[in-house]
Amino acid sequence: MTKRECEMLEMEKKLESLMDEVWKDYYSEIGNAQLEETNNMFDHLCKEEEWQSNNLRLKTAVSY
């Protein structure tokens, strides 16, 4: 293998390593966004449940 071929092989390995890092960052960002969306949905559902519970208590109190 020539010196030039060795250099090309080294550069190819470095490029593959960089691309691996890029994909890790990309999927990490997607994962974080999905986690935040899930947390927001959970918060909304908890508030909705609390509202319904309060509404039921209010209806019960008014009916007495």
Side-chain angles (χ1 to χ4, degrees):
M1 190 178 284
T2 67
K3 181 178 178 181
R4 180 74 179 142
E5 289 172 327
C6 288
E7 289 172 351
M8 292 297 286
L9 186 60
E10 256 184 66
M11 289 177 74
E12 188 177 322
K13 288 180 182 177
K14 287 180 183 178
L15 180 59
E16 285 177 9
S17 176
L18 286 172
M19 289 306 295
D20 285 345
E21 289 300 314
V22 167
W23 283 113
K24 284 179 192 172
D25 289 346
Y26 174 75
Y27 285 117
S28 176
E29 288 297 319
I30 288 176
N32 289 340
Q34 287 175 339
L35 180 60
E36 184 176 342
E37 184 177 336
T38 300
N39 286 341
N40 289 341
M41 286 176 26
F42 181 73
D43 288 345
H44 176 74
L45 290 173
C46 287
K47 287 176 185 173
E48 180 76 19
E49 186 176 314
E50 182 180 340
W51 180 82
Q52 287 177 356
S53 176
N54 289 340
N55 194 26
L56 180 62
R57 276 190 253 146
L58 181 61
K59 285 180 181 177
T60 304
V62 168
S63 67
Y64 284 120

